Amino acid sequence: MSSSRGTARKVNVIGPFFETHVLGIMALLADTINDGKGPQPVLEKVRCLGAIREMIKLAQSHVSNGLPQICACLRSAIENKDLSNQAFDAWMVMMNTLGEDEIASLVDPTFAIIVQHWGSFLPKVQEQAYDMVTQLLKNHCSMVRDIVHTLPSLASIPLMSKFEDELAKLKAQMDVKHHFQAFCQRCQSENATVVSRALHELAEYLKVNQGFLHEAVNSEQPDPVVSQLARSILDTSILFSDRHPEISVLCARCLGLVGCLDPTRIEAVREKREILVLSNFVRDDETNDFIIFFLREVLVKAFHSATNSRSQGFLAYAMQELLSISEIKESVRPRARDAPFDANYRRWVSLPESVRTTLLPFAGSKYFVTAGISQPPLSYPIYEKTMGHGQWLRSFTYDTLKKKVGEGKVQIVFSVLSRIIRFQDISISNFVLPFACLNVIVNGTDEERLEIGRELLLVLHQLLPDHATSRDCVILCSQTVFQVLDYLARWMQEKKKEVANIRVLGTRSGRMPSAADLDNDEVQIQRVDAVLAIIPADVISRRAVECRSYARALFHWEQFIRQQRDRRLIANQETGFETLYERLQEIYTQIDEPDGIEGISAHLHVLNIDQQILEHRKAGRWTAAQSWYELQLTEKPNDTDVQYNLLTSLKESGQHDVLLNQIDGFPISEASNTLSLPFAIEASWVTGKWDKLRKYVLKSTETSEGVFNVGIGRALLALLDNKAVQFTNILDELRRDTARGLSVTNTTSLQGCHDSMLKFHVLTEMETISGVKSTEKAEKSSLVTSMNQRLDILGPFLSDKQYILGLRRATMQLSRQGSRLQTGGLSFSNIDIASAWLTSAKLARKGDSTHQAFNAVLHASQLGDDSATIEHSRLLWREGNHRKAIQSLEGAITANAFRSHDYTEAGESMTTNNTGRQTQQNLLKARAHLLLAKWIDRAGQTQSDLIIHQYRNAVEFHSKWEKSHYYLGKHYNKLLESEKAKPPWKQAQTFITGETAKLVVENYLRSLAYGAKYIYQTMPRILTLWLDLGAESEELPDIKYGNDEAFRTHTMGQRRKLLAACNSQIKKYIDRLPAFVFYTALSQIVARICHPSKPVYSLLVDIIARVVTQHAPQALWTLLAVVKSSSKDRANRGLACINKVQENAKRARTESAGLELKQFINQGQRLSDQLLHVCEGDIQGKPANISLTRDLNFNHKTASCKLAIPLESSLTASLPTVTENSRTHKAFNSNDYIYISTFLDDVVVLNSLQKPRKISIRGSDGHVYALLCKPKDDLRKDQRLMEFNAMINRTLKRDAGSSKRRLYIKTYAVTPLNEECGLIEWIDNLKTLREILLKSYKQKNVHINYSELRQLLDESISAPGKLPIFTDRIVPHFYPVFHEWFVEMFPEPGAWFNARLRYTRSCAVMSIVGHVLGLGDRHGENILFEEGNGGTFHVDFNCLFDKGLTFEKPELVPFRLTHNMVEAFGAYGYEGPFRKSCELTLGILRQNEDTLMTILETFLYDPTTDFIGKKKKVVTIVPDTPEGVLDSVRNKVRGLLPMESVPLSVEGYVQALIQQAVDPFKLASMYIGWCAFF
């Protein structure tokens, strides 16, 4: 007894001892184990590991303070073969000894270590590991269940198979998406072993499941998991690139399997973390934010990467001191559960757990630094040519930190920072320098400010040396200068905003600001401005070009142009801008923006030949560029620039044979050889000239060894020579080199690393196709499907697709050579290779590269693929040879020139796959017949019966093909429209009775049964025709058909008979079609719920009930609005639908599903009542904020609901991809939708007449979402218009040109609650144009006298000669300031350029769409801009269909394009991106005219909503009937100006609209509130 008590006392003493001293002990032991003070004997290291093991046994949880240090030490020892067993023994003791809280974060690394090092463990250690895992799963089963999704697999260890089976069962509950999310989480670990295992497993998982990602990318709404995964892998590659290059290679392998994602569809931008200290460390809250940011982003990372204990000691001291300065260490201590959360505690818990774990010991540590030798202040300038970047940066940073200037905590913080500058990681100096410079500028002397300005300028003035190392050094120094300038610019802009807000609000942090404070702020702003003014914009721009920072170069050169223009205007000089614009054009050649060059060219009076060629190149007119380079080459045969340009033109236009001949004709020189080699090697493999490939590869020198194409050429030769190992090694080396090229800068977005992603993509495909990884033969058909999907994910990047196809063909061809067939590889036939040629031909045709397309078709024909005739016919049609194209296609059909796309393996008999072959051949034959039908239909020279017969052929040859049914239905619809346009006495009986309508409905329904590609063309039209036929069958035909009673009775009888047939079809397809098909048109279906025909109404109820039963969380919103209708009939019919849904609930497959559906309905009805109360509740006075409970009587208990939060992302159904089965497709992921958790009590009341209320909802994902409750406003019009805009967005995404430019309309969810109120999705961070301009003019003291302006505007249009009052007096007074908002909101040049481009393009799209819809009242309150990205956002769609022309002062312009908006587009104005985006948008609307008119028709004939409204006055050209509106819209889409009969081309119509929009007379004629002078 006494002995045990003594032991207890001993442990009680030992525990606290170790708790206090564990850090010091670990520092000594780690020094020995890691050779911190020179090499140590292995035996001594083993003794130290034993000491760690015994310490853990004795102290148990008391060592948790030093857990990060213990783990780091043991991990490094496990990596050492001599120590791995002893180190892992200590690790297992730690896992068995510590409590669950401590080991929870160590389970992942433990499993990873076991898998990684199993082979190096002794049998005894392996047994112990087995026992440890047994205990772990037994004693901590609940914890393991929580973290199972991130645990590494133990499948590679036979001994652990039992555990792996257990864990696999738990993991099986996750779907593919959640598996990928788990991989993302695992890759974010800072533990190299954990990450390495995760990537190994991810690579294997991707081989099986990459199809899920590719379908997600190609779907209408790409799943966010794709961008999360890509971002995670890229960040992991960068994080471990220096310390663990093998992890970067694993990342590269995974990225290759993911594929080269289209950056215009998948946004994977790295979140940019920045901190701004506006008070310069005077305010404690900002100082604490800075310290937390610095610790998280810089110091902890530097601490982990420190290679010696001395460095780690200094960093530990800095962390200790900073935690003390910020008083955060007080928040680290254990707290009572009910203790209030202060700001510092929130900062602490916001840190990642790994960072908190690292920092925790330093909250109570006692490091100190002895005083060193004081350094004398440096003399300026510091920078010298001989200095390295690191030396200059550290010296400059250290000197600015040591200057004793500034108030508050700045000196204390900087004193600590100065201790970790000179001998530490350069990232610390890089981060600190901007803050140190700012402090000296705002608090130092004039001399010190001047020194900093001159230092920065000196670096930018330094000429770039020829020597590569010295050149890189100057570029790195310049980039540091840019970083400082960016911070100063951001600080100044934010400080100006802060001061302006203080003056308006009259308060800062709850106290009135003193005049002295404001004056001091103004002085600081002036000082920063003065330093920035020292560095001329043109100097920054020139150096930025040399640093390849082209957005920055553009930012500053445009600033320079603006300065020069202002100076010359003052001096009355209007010439001399040519050279400035030429320089701008040079910058634009380096930017991936296709329209800027043409925009600038419009401002150059005469284009020289180089500028013309530049335009051709940027626009993709390579053949035109080629002609010029060929001429130049005859004059300068040795000029390598001309050679390079010519080869680029030949490559891009697909003239590979010509390219090879051209290279053979080049004069022999080393420079020419190095330059042409990559081109020659690529052309050789594309054309299959293997002798030439060998010749050029043998020519490669050391300088060309690292070139990717040269490496690919060597790999292909290895494959040709049957050297599989060499082939694999070369690909691995190329992957390693490419991975090495990834950096923090170029992986900021997918666009930045697109070239590297493409390389990883092709390396993976070459490995897969070649079969060197022993792909099974049975996988061939799935491989072909996978390769098709992989090609699609590249989106509009046609050149990259051609590159991939060229390599595919080469690898397929070479993989058939020699004994490759015996090694388990795949056998590819000539037909397989021909298929790749035909894909190339199709892409080239779509990209208008006719020569390349014909060449590809020729290759396919030579390989024996007779179906190449179809593609040849398409090319003939594309070139305008319509008769020849039809003859060629008819000949191919007659000769049955169709092959099967089935992949019959070598050695199998032709009959084994007979059924499949027949199906495939039928599909190809159907395609040929459909193409022929479309052409003879378009030619308009064939009778309708023959055309219908031709369409029917396509249907018969493949009855399960969506497209054939759609086009047959479309032809019937064309006949229907043609009959409708005729006078009544000429209309066919089939039209009058509704037979033609029935044929359209039947064929469109059949097309929906086999796919959803045409759903937005077919479903609205089916409903319109069916419901109209139902309404017509209830009454006698119109009197316009005559008074013959027999005729009318007969017609009515026929209509009813045909309606019955239609109803029968609809009933059949209600169950046959997936519910999401009807969900896409739910608002249209609900609008017709009061249909007069009982059979039709009954079917409508069935449709609505089916949709709500299947998609209750989303669809119930629409149905509840009907139930709450003010129309008694509509409300009753809505209740009938609810009853039908409840009936369905009783028949649910499981009792729980039925109960859940009933619960949904009950919750939804209660919530709908509550929200109507919120909308309609009377608010007295003008309060800015009210309580949801107290003021609006909201009952929170009844508000909890599983309904989806009404956001656009939650309510939009995803559609299946072309390859996906629509019947099994999930339009909504039941596990992922965000439902309503709780309502927040705070309500913001907007200051307008009806007092709309902004409410906040906490979603099931924990985020807060805002909605606007709008009273006394019928939102059904807004809802349908959003549906229309969403349709336009879909067409924009499908077009290569608009997709590449990311053209879009900003849309949001609109959810009516009844006819008088509803909910609108709240979009944060929007500013109206009026607000932006008024604020800017106010700051510049530009006064606005509206009564005087009204008089001047009236006078300016009173006589022709008085217009200068507007142009020369009013407009110059309100000089352009809008462009400054972009500089203010986006001070970083890259963000500024992207924001301005987004503004320009989104403005263009909405200008054209708004014009087509006749959208008016575009004053400054109705056009808003997104503060996060610069996008344009329109609101208030009440003034539609040219209603603006009926105002007392008509709105004469087609859209808003005032001088402020034009100036903000950039130096090229409305030329370039704006014009091109307008043309693309109008062109796409023309191509999709039928769809556009179909959807518009459903709105205009909606019996519940008046879209046209009452006009203030009658204007001839303003339509007032649905038919008139449709004609007006159709005329605009086709390019017909009012009162004109000849339509204009797209370019001509856009030009006419722009001229109208900027016409001074029209602008001066506008009503005063429109503010045409802004």
Side-chain angles (χ1 to χ4, degrees), residues 324-434:
S324 176
I325 292 165
S326 64
E327 298 172 359
I328 284 168
K329 70 177 186 179
E330 303 300 321
S331 301
V332 173
R333 294 173 181 159
R335 318 161 48 87
R337 287 193 175 184
D338 56 350
F341 281 11
D342 61 6
N344 271 347
Y345 184 73
R346 286 197 186 92
R347 289 186 181 98
W348 174 252
V349 295
S350 73
L351 292 169
E353 191 176 345
S354 61
V355 174
R356 290 206 304 269
T357 307
T358 304
L359 291 173
L360 196 58
F362 304 115
S365 60
K366 292 184 172 61
Y367 287 93
F368 64 91
V369 175
T370 52
I373 303 165
S374 71
Q375 296 284 325
L378 295 171
S379 59
Y380 281 76
I382 298 170
Y383 180 78
E384 293 175 10
K385 289 181 185 179
T386 53
M387 273 187 169
H389 171 243
Q391 185 188 354
W392 171 75
L393 175 58
R394 288 189 180 99
S395 302
F396 189 22
T397 308
Y398 183 77
D399 191 68
T400 47
L401 285 172
K402 295 298 281 183
K403 292 187 191 301
K404 299 190 182 301
V405 294
E407 303 169 9
K409 290 183 177 176
V410 67
Q411 282 307 308
I412 306 169
V413 173
F414 282 12
S415 172
V416 173
L417 297 183
S418 67
R419 302 278 191 177
I420 53 169
I421 293 298
R422 286 182 296 166
F423 306 108
Q424 294 289 355
D425 193 300
I426 200 170
S427 65
I428 298 173
S429 302
N430 215 29
F431 177 82
V432 168
L433 180 61

Side-chain angles (χ1 to χ4, degrees), residues 553-588:
L554 186 67
F555 179 87
H556 290 284
W557 196 256
E558 283 204 1
Q559 219 174 322
F560 182 61
I561 288 177
R562 208 170 264 119
Q563 289 165 3
Q564 294 296 312
R565 190 175 59 198
D566 292 346
R567 283 176 194 160
R568 292 177 193 188
L569 280 173
I570 293 167
N572 285 324
Q573 294 175 351
E574 294 185 8
T575 57
F577 287 101
E578 292 277 317
T579 53
L580 299 179
Y581 278 111
E582 284 169 9
R583 173 74 177 163
L584 199 61
Q585 199 173 44
E586 287 170 27
I587 296 169
Y588 258 103

Side-chain angles (χ1 to χ4, degrees), residues 140 174 258 371 374 430 455 472 579 604 624 778 819 860 871 1017 1067 1086 1184 1271 1359 1431 1497 1558:
H140 304 288
M174 296 158 58
V258 169
S374 71
N430 215 29
E455 183 74 19
D472 289 345
T579 53
L604 299 173
S819 59
E871 187 57 39
Q1017 290 93 319
K1067 189 169 186 176
V1086 162
E1497 187 180 38
V1558 298

Side-chain angles (χ1 to χ4, degrees), residues 225-243:
V225 75
V226 183
S227 58
Q228 288 166 13
L229 186 65
R231 180 74 270 149
S232 181
I233 299 171
L234 286 168
D235 288 345
T236 302
S237 178
I238 299 305
L239 183 65
F240 292 97
S241 58
D242 294 332
R243 291 174 290 148

Side-chain angles (χ1 to χ4, degrees), residues 199-273:
L199 289 167
H200 273 110
E201 290 176 34
L202 175 59
E204 293 305 312
Y205 194 76
L206 278 167
K207 285 176 185 175
V208 180
N209 294 291
Q210 58 178 288
F212 169 86
L213 291 180
H214 300 150
E215 282 191 0
V217 175
N218 294 326
S219 66
E220 192 180 333
Q221 287 181 302
D223 196 302
V225 75
V226 183
S227 58
Q228 288 166 13
L229 186 65
R231 180 74 270 149
S232 181
I233 299 171
L234 286 168
D235 288 345
T236 302
S237 178
I238 299 305
L239 183 65
F240 292 97
S241 58
D242 294 332
R243 291 174 290 148
H244 298 278
E246 73 283 358
I247 286 181
S248 290
V249 175
L250 278 171
C251 288
R253 190 172 290 283
C254 291
L255 288 170
L257 288 160
V258 169
C260 185
L261 302 169
D262 172 9
T264 64
R265 280 180 64 72
I266 305 296
E267 293 274 2
V269 178
R270 184 186 292 118
E271 185 187 349
K272 197 167 185 180
R273 295 196 180 105

Side-chain angles (χ1 to χ4, degrees), residues 1267-1284:
L1267 298 172
L1268 187 67
C1269 297
K1270 285 202 81 177
K1272 298 178 184 175
D1273 192 358
D1274 187 353
L1275 294 181
R1276 289 174 301 173
K1277 189 189 292 187
D1278 296 66
Q1279 183 191 33
R1280 302 300 286 277
L1281 206 63
M1282 282 302 116
E1283 290 173 11
F1284 181 79

